[in-house]
Amino acid sequence: MIQRIQTVYLLLVAAAMTAVLFLPLATVQAGGIFYRYDVLGMHTTTASPELTHPAWALCALSATVILLALAAVFLYGNRMRQIRLCIFNAILLVGFYALFAFFLWNFSAQSDFHFNVRFALSLPLVSLILDYLAIRNIGADEMLVRSLNRLR
């Protein structure tokens, strides 16, 4: 059932999270120095960018979400396992925001701290919504298959 709508949703989740890997999540100003915050951590925006505060866990979390979304696409034969993977994926997406907030909170101890959110920070939320839609459609397919089994 690769041609189902939930496949499109899951592929869009993988595409959105792939974009998160390459786009900046926020810009931060602390103490007169500007930083670019992405999934690898805080980078200075000078002529030679330097990683000042690493956040490799965000990168690992994003890569895990991508791999789970792609794995769920190919588990169409076992819809209950597909639903479980999507639910775990949704938990990881919520954890992405929690981890981002934690890293930002740790960095905000400096005085004169300001940050601006970029477009890429909204993509995990879009992925979470698409993941929910995929769960609903996979569940609808499972209910359809079970109702057809009763007719036999």
Side-chain angles (χ1 to χ4, degrees), residues 29-73:
Q29 178 187 6
I33 301 172
F34 287 95
Y35 297 95
R36 186 187 79 227
Y37 195 104
D38 57 12
V39 294
L40 296 177
M42 289 275 196
H43 299 275
T44 57
T45 57
T46 58
S48 60
E50 178 184 334
L51 181 64
T52 57
H53 294 83
W56 297 102
L58 285 176
C59 185
L61 204 56
S62 299
T64 304
V65 167
I66 293 167
L67 291 176
L68 285 178
L70 292 176
V73 167

Side-chain angles (χ1 to χ4, degrees), residues 115-128:
F115 75 96
N116 294 326
V117 175
R118 298 288 176 206
F119 170 72
L121 193 59
S122 66
L123 291 177
L125 180 64
V126 170
S127 296
L128 185 64

Side-chain angles (χ1 to χ4, degrees), residues 56-135:
W56 297 102
L58 285 176
C59 185
L61 204 56
S62 299
T64 304
V65 167
I66 293 167
L67 291 176
L68 285 178
L70 292 176
V73 167
F74 296 106
L75 287 176
Y76 57 87
N78 191 344
R79 284 173 295 282
M80 293 311 292
R81 183 175 292 152
Q82 197 176 22
I83 288 174
R84 285 188 196 110
L85 273 180
C86 288
I87 290 171
F88 185 63
N89 219 0
I91 292 169
L92 289 179
L93 286 168
V94 171
F96 179 89
Y97 280 118
L99 196 58
F100 175 79
F102 175 73
F103 285 140
L104 204 59
W105 178 72
N106 276 344
F107 187 73
S108 69
Q110 297 180 1
S111 63
D112 194 29
F113 174 78
H114 301 286
F115 75 96
N116 294 326
V117 175
R118 298 288 176 206
F119 170 72
L121 193 59
S122 66
L123 291 177
L125 180 64
V126 170
S127 296
L128 185 64
I129 293 168
L130 290 169
D131 200 39
Y132 171 72
L133 291 173
I135 291 169

